[in-house]
Amino acid sequence: MPKKAKPARNGEEEGPVPCKQGKLEAAQAPSTLNFESPTVLFESLISPITTKTFFKEFWEQKPLLIQRDDPTVATYYQSLFRLSDLKSLCGRGLYYGRDINVCRCVGGKKKVLNKDGKVHFLQLRKDFDQKRATIQFHQPQRFKDELWRIQERLECYFGSLVGSNVYITPGGSQGLPPHYDDVEVFVLQLEGEKRWRLYRPTVPLAREYCVEAEDRIGQPVLEVTLKPGDLLYFPRGTIHQADTPPGLAHSTHLTISTYQNNSWGDFLLDTISGIVFETAKEDVELRAGVPRQLLLQAETTTAETKRLSDLLRTLADRLEGTQELLSADMKKDFIMNRLPPFYIGDGAELSTPGGQLPRLDSTVRLRFQDHAILTVGPDQERSDEMREKMAYIYHSLKNRRDTHMMGNEETEAHGLRFPLSHVEALKQIWNCSVISVKDLKLPTDEEKENLVLSLWSECLIQVV
């Protein structure tokens, strides 16, 4: 999903594309989606299919096709991104490779037709018209407010990064050969018609991306032509290809993708180091040295494998009684790289504390709960082996929309750290709709006030 930046000619990487935030496009069609909450948003996206049916029968299992003969939905989908949008967007400083790819499927192979440097609309339109090339626009939510609004809600719903790409393909042309992706994909048809062919996955729930899958695709399990307003979902690992039928000017579709590197295996790799670290404090077996010259051996002996298996069982036993898993990277990576909350205006409410200053006699509530995480981890300001655990709050209120899902763009963690003794009080704030400051589980009134003042200054709570 993330797209890496393309180096400029002088060898230095171009800066991020400037992005105006806050103002909704004047031509935006009335939304047919319900943004009341992340759950309601997703329900409206896949309607009339219920979420219960979706996750029981389709999610990570098989494709879902929703065809809608509804002009209102079609008009709304068409407003999300049009070919005509490219002219104004090219004037905002887009670059080949980073923001736009131009490609075509020739002889079953992907042929990239990118130029160097900045994208100029006249050249882009020339390649589109004369070379019948597909325009792939990376992460349009950086520029289109309604896509920001949709994807921000979906990131709250899935608890995972949500990226998107727009594909604009001339009639009688195909941009990409058969391939499969390592993400769950939702396809929204925006303009024209697009023919899709889906095949059985050669690698179910694929982790790796395969460019050439045509020699293993077999017969399609689904062939369908999408029209504006239609939605298609298929799980990661599903081989697919799409083309625009002859006779049409062009076709535009949007892919919304999620759950990249978000498997049980990823989570286990993320948490196992914390489990080992904590268990080793109490279990002398984990602190015993490995056999001499173990690292020099070409093969592991049966006795060594048995010893390792026993230690893993010990970790599994400890895990069953653990309520707090130490997430080394996944939680922090998600909150650092996700979209900031959607807003209309200058975003002042996300950066400047507002409302009454919290005191001991105040009642407070958490703001932007979907955009903040509470986690526990070793003290990151100490490097010695006896690092104590600390409570960390990370949030995405100050994240940059213009770098969302752009791969190697630098990101910064925003948040607070507290002594481990503050965890229970923080959980009270996280788990209660409202709570009195004086009821927080801290030994002194001073600590209670200092805690809520810290959260208030970071715009994470407000007085009610």
Side-chain angles (χ1 to χ4, degrees):
M1 295 194 303
K3 298 298 177 183
K4 294 184 178 179
K6 182 179 179 66
R9 290 186 177 183
N10 61 4
E12 295 182 358
E13 206 170 90
E14 297 288 349
V17 181
C19 180
K20 296 179 181 179
Q21 299 185 17
K23 182 182 178 183
L24 283 170
E25 290 90 337
Q28 179 66 53
S31 177
T32 59
L33 300 176
N34 189 331
F35 292 89
E36 179 182 337
S37 70
T39 298
V40 172
L41 180 276
F42 186 70
E43 288 173 347
S44 65
L45 180 67
I46 65 170
S47 174
I49 302 297
T50 65
T51 55
K52 181 179 180 180
T53 298
F54 176 75
F55 286 105
K56 181 179 180 180
E57 299 182 12
F58 298 98
W59 177 254
E60 295 188 322
Q61 299 174 62
K62 62 182 180 181
L64 168 66
L65 171 64
I66 300 177
Q67 294 180 300
R68 301 182 174 107
D69 187 17
D70 187 334
T72 303
V73 177
T75 300
Y76 173 67
Y77 274 33
Q78 290 166 358
S79 73
L80 295 177
F81 199 101
R82 300 181 177 93
L83 174 61
S84 57
D85 290 330
L86 287 174
K87 186 172 184 179
S88 60
L89 289 174
C90 285
R92 295 169 66 171
L94 305 180
Y95 289 82
Y96 285 103
R98 184 186 67 187
D99 303 298
I100 284 181
N101 273 338
V102 180
C103 57
R104 186 176 181 186
C105 180
V106 179
K109 308 291 183 182
K110 177 182 176 181
K111 184 176 182 181
V112 179
L113 304 172
N114 288 352
K115 303 296 189 291
D116 291 329
K118 186 177 289 189
V119 178
H120 297 282
F121 179 74
L122 291 180
Q123 180 64 56
L124 188 66
R125 189 63 199 248
K126 181 179 179 180
D127 289 339
F128 181 77
D129 292 332
Q130 297 181 8
K131 297 182 180 180
R132 317 305 292 165
T134 289
I135 299 171
Q136 179 187 19
F137 192 97
H138 302 317
Q139 311 305 337
Q141 71 277 6
R142 296 176 293 148
F143 306 94
K144 301 290 285 186
D145 288 347
E146 190 70 359
L147 292 179
W148 170 21
R149 188 183 183 195
I150 292 170
Q151 290 175 233
E152 179 261 329
R153 277 286 189 264
L154 290 178
E155 286 187 332
C156 294
Y157 183 74
F158 285 107
S160 176
L161 294 176
V162 175
S164 67
N165 283 302
V166 167
Y167 297 85
I168 308 175
T169 304
S173 185
Q174 181 171 333
L176 300 174
H179 64 280
Y180 62 86
D181 303 308
D182 64 346
V183 287
E184 306 293 315
V185 179
F186 296 85
V187 179
L188 282 63
Q189 187 65 27
L190 309 185
E191 293 181 306
E193 298 180 4
K194 178 102 12 136
R195 296 186 302 198
W196 285 81
R197 290 184 290 278
L198 273 58
Y199 308 84
R200 296 190 184 279
T202 57
V203 182
L205 304 183
R207 179 65 178 268
E208 297 181 355
Y209 179 85
C210 179
V211 177
E212 299 176 1
E214 66 274 8
D215 59 334
R216 296 173 289 162
I217 59 179
Q219 294 298 314
V221 296
L222 178 65
E223 293 185 79
V224 63
T225 297
L226 297 185
K227 298 179 180 181
D230 292 347
L231 181 143
L232 174 66
Y233 158 80
F234 50 88
R236 58 192 186 277
T238 302
I239 297 175
H240 58 278
Q241 60 178 323
D243 68 277
T244 303
L248 296 179
H250 67 274
S251 171
T252 304
H253 74 269
L254 170 78
T255 61
I256 295 178
S257 52
T258 190
Y259 257 56
Q260 186 178 51
N261 300 339
N262 209 43
S263 67
W264 277 113
D266 296 307
F267 189 66
L268 183 61
L269 287 172
D270 184 56
T271 57
I272 192 67
S273 60
I275 297 170
V276 173
F277 180 80
E278 290 301 310
T279 306
K281 290 181 178 179
E282 303 172 5
D283 193 335
V284 68
E285 294 295 322
L286 281 171
R287 301 200 299 273
V290 300
R292 288 183 300 103
Q293 299 187 338
L294 175 64
L295 302 182
L296 300 177
Q297 297 175 8
E299 295 181 349
T300 305
T301 67
T302 302
E304 292 161 350
T305 302
K306 176 64 167 56
R307 180 71 180 278
L308 188 58
S309 298
D310 291 340
L311 292 174
L312 289 174
R313 291 188 184 94
T314 299
L315 293 175
D317 291 340
R318 180 181 179 89
L319 181 60
E320 289 188 0
T322 300
Q323 292 183 332
E324 294 180 359
L325 295 177
L326 301 184
S327 174
D329 298 306
M330 287 182 69
K331 283 186 175 183
K332 185 177 179 180
D333 179 76
F334 168 55
I335 212 71
M336 282 177 59
N337 292 287
R338 63 165 303 185
L339 283 163
F342 176 79
Y343 55 81
I344 300 175
D346 59 8
E349 65 172 323
L350 307 184
S351 57
T352 304
Q356 185 179 349
L357 197 71
R359 299 295 187 189
L360 185 62
D361 59 352
S362 300
T363 299
V364 299
R365 72 173 180 89
L366 190 65
R367 305 175 67 201
F368 308 108
Q369 184 165 4
D370 290 334
H371 285 267
I373 60 169
L374 167 61
T375 187
V376 173
D379 188 349
Q380 298 174 7
E381 295 188 2
R382 295 180 59 179
S383 58
D384 58 88
E385 295 183 357
M386 299 304 294
R387 289 188 297 173
E388 296 182 354
K389 288 195 293 184
M390 301 288 292
Y392 288 92
I393 303 269
Y394 296 108
H395 65 80
S396 57
L397 306 188
K398 301 176 183 178
N399 284 8
R400 293 171 53 190
R401 171 189 174 193
D402 62 327
T403 61
H404 182 246
M405 299 302 296
M406 292 305 290
N408 59 355
E409 298 283 1
E410 291 187 5
T411 55
E412 179 183 356
H414 303 287
L416 301 165
R417 63 191 287 270
F418 298 96
L420 192 61
S421 59
H422 285 51
V423 165
E424 291 304 316
L426 289 166
K427 286 181 179 179
Q428 286 178 278
I429 297 173
W430 249 250
N431 296 331
C432 298
S433 56
V434 295
I435 189 169
S436 173
V437 175
K438 63 183 178 182
D439 291 336
L440 293 176
K441 295 180 180 179
L442 286 170
T444 68
D445 291 344
E446 182 181 8
E447 288 177 295
K448 296 174 183 179
E449 280 201 342
N450 287 340
L451 173 61
V452 294
L453 283 172
S454 297
L455 296 173
W456 178 81
S457 66
E458 202 73 6
C459 304
L460 293 173
I461 63 170
Q462 65 181 157
V463 176
V464 295

